[in-house]
């Protein structure tokens, strides 16, 4: 996921496909009657071909037996609100399919954005309270492009009340999978935008080279005398260089504008 994120906005479909495969892996477990009980990044392996494997079943429980009791544990950042509240009140909370859906959703949020869904407190009691009470941060707060549909899916799986989440892990995985065509469109649009921005950068670089110290415009003068200009357009060139210098905080461009 980190590798795909580093490649920028052109890899949303493969990143979402990875998230879908992870949700589907846990859905397969639930369908087989097993709750994993210890969701966190180190318990999900992805091989070179992108195949997902879930490991470490030390805290796993049977779906049928978990309704009564069972030892619970895991990494606090991925606790479901029911378990977090039980930890706060020194009570017992059983492992459920709805609770594990919450944990998987918190993991997928992290894979997509690179950070946790909440700005965690370093104090354990406050952290547990955040799990129970604080809603997920929007993508834009994580410096990630907004995507209303994906955020809505994750927010539903991260609802504080279990009955407001998806009816099953499979339904959650299918909701994510339903966004794959939109992710492909977003990638295609980003590629077009990237190409257009590349043209803009090329034009800007060529222009700055033309007017740079030692560039032919300063050395030989401007090629022609445009209409409605001051000093054959030099004032306009200077103002442009000044504007770029301010945007870039570039002292050399500022000096060039003065010249």
């Amino acid at each position: 996921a980190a590798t795909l994120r580093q490649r920028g906005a052109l890899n949303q479909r493969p990143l979402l496909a990875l998230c879908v495969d992870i949700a589907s892996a846990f859905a397969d477990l639930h369908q087989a009657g097993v709750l994993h009980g210890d969701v966190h990044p180190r318990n999900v392996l992805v091989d070179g071909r992108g195949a997902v494997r879930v490991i470490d079943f030390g805290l796993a429980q049977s779906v049928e037996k978990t309704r009564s009791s069972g030892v619970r544990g895991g990494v606090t950042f991925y606790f479901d609100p029911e378990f977090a509240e039980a930890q706060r009140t020194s009570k017992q909370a059983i492992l459920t399919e709805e609770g594990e859906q919450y944990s998987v959703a918190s993991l997928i949020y992290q894979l997509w954005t690179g950070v946790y869904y909440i700005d965690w407190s370093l104090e354990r009691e406050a952290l547990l309270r955040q799990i129970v009470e604080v809603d997920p941060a929007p993508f834009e707060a994580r410096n990630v492009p907004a995507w209303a549909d994906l955020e809505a899916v994750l927010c539903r799986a991260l609802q504080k009340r279990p009955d407001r989440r998806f009816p099953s892990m499979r339904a959650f995985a299918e909701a994510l999978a339903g966004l794959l065509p939109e992710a492909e469109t977003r990638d295609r649009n980003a590629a077009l935008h990237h190409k257009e921005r590349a043209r803009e950068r090329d034009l800007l670089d060529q222009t700055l080279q033309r007017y740079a110290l030692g560039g032919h415009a300063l050395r030989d003068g401007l090629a022609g005398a445009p209409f409605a200009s001051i000093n054959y357009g030099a004032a306009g060139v200077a103002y442009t260089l000044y504007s770029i210098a301010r945007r870039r905080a570039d002292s050399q461009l500022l000096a060039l504008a003065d010249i």
Side-chain angles (χ1 to χ4, degrees):
T3 300
L4 291 170
R5 287 196 309 271
Q6 288 169 2
R7 295 174 186 168
L10 306 180
N11 284 276
Q12 295 193 32
R13 192 194 185 286
L15 180 55
L16 181 60
L18 173 63
C19 295
V20 169
D21 288 346
I22 290 172
S24 297
F26 283 96
D28 290 343
L29 282 178
H30 289 193
Q31 192 169 332
V34 176
L35 298 177
H36 184 270
D38 192 11
V39 176
H40 62 78
R42 293 186 301 278
N43 281 344
V44 180
L45 303 183
V46 183
D47 67 19
R49 296 173 294 111
V52 171
R53 296 182 185 277
V54 179
I55 64 169
D56 188 359
F57 288 80
L59 294 174
Q61 299 181 37
S62 164
V63 172
E64 295 181 357
K65 294 180 180 179
T66 190
R67 293 293 176 182
S68 56
S69 64
V71 177
R72 292 206 59 182
V75 177
T76 311
F77 299 142
Y78 306 94
F79 282 2
D80 55 271
E82 302 88 339
F83 188 30
E85 180 61 25
Q87 292 281 296
R88 295 174 70 196
T89 57
S90 300
K91 296 180 180 178
Q92 188 177 43
I94 59 175
L95 178 60
T96 65
E97 296 174 72
E98 299 86 356
E100 189 144 284
Q101 179 187 145
Y102 186 100
S103 300
V104 173
S106 67
L107 171 60
I108 289 176
Y109 180 103
Q110 181 183 352
L111 295 178
W112 188 266
T113 64
V115 291
Y116 298 115
Y117 69 105
I118 291 173
D119 295 319
W120 297 120
S121 167
L122 298 180
E123 200 277 317
R124 179 177 171 80
E125 179 61 29
L127 188 153
L128 292 171
R129 180 192 59 76
Q130 288 177 305
I131 297 173
V132 175
E133 299 177 1
V134 179
D135 292 329
F139 285 176
E140 288 185 327
R142 302 304 192 219
N143 293 319
V144 172
W147 186 358
D149 291 341
L150 177 56
E151 292 180 68
V153 170
L154 290 175
C155 283
R156 181 175 177 183
L158 290 169
Q159 284 289 317
K160 303 304 181 182
R161 285 178 46 179
D163 60 335
R164 292 182 176 177
R165 298 170 201 156
F166 287 95
S168 66
M169 183 69 75
R170 183 69 65 193
F172 174 38
E174 289 174 350
L176 290 172
L179 297 178
L180 287 170
E182 186 177 349
E184 191 167 345
T185 300
R186 288 169 66 92
D187 280 349
R188 189 161 51 248
N189 292 339
L192 292 173
H193 181 66
H194 180 75
K195 187 180 296 183
E196 189 63 33
R197 290 301 298 273
R199 292 195 193 100
E200 293 171 2
R201 282 193 295 271
D202 288 344
L203 176 61
L204 180 57
D205 289 342
Q206 292 172 20
T207 303
L208 292 177
Q209 289 173 13
R210 182 180 305 126
Y211 297 113
L213 288 174
H216 66 78
L218 263 185
R219 184 180 63 247
D220 304 330
L222 299 179
F227 294 102
S229 66
I230 300 173
N231 292 338
Y232 300 100
V237 173
Y239 183 75
T240 300
L241 293 172
Y242 167 72
S243 299
I244 298 172
R246 289 189 62 187
R247 290 290 296 272
R248 294 185 173 183
D250 189 322
S251 58
Q252 290 185 346
L253 279 180
L254 184 62
L256 183 59
D258 186 52
I259 293 173

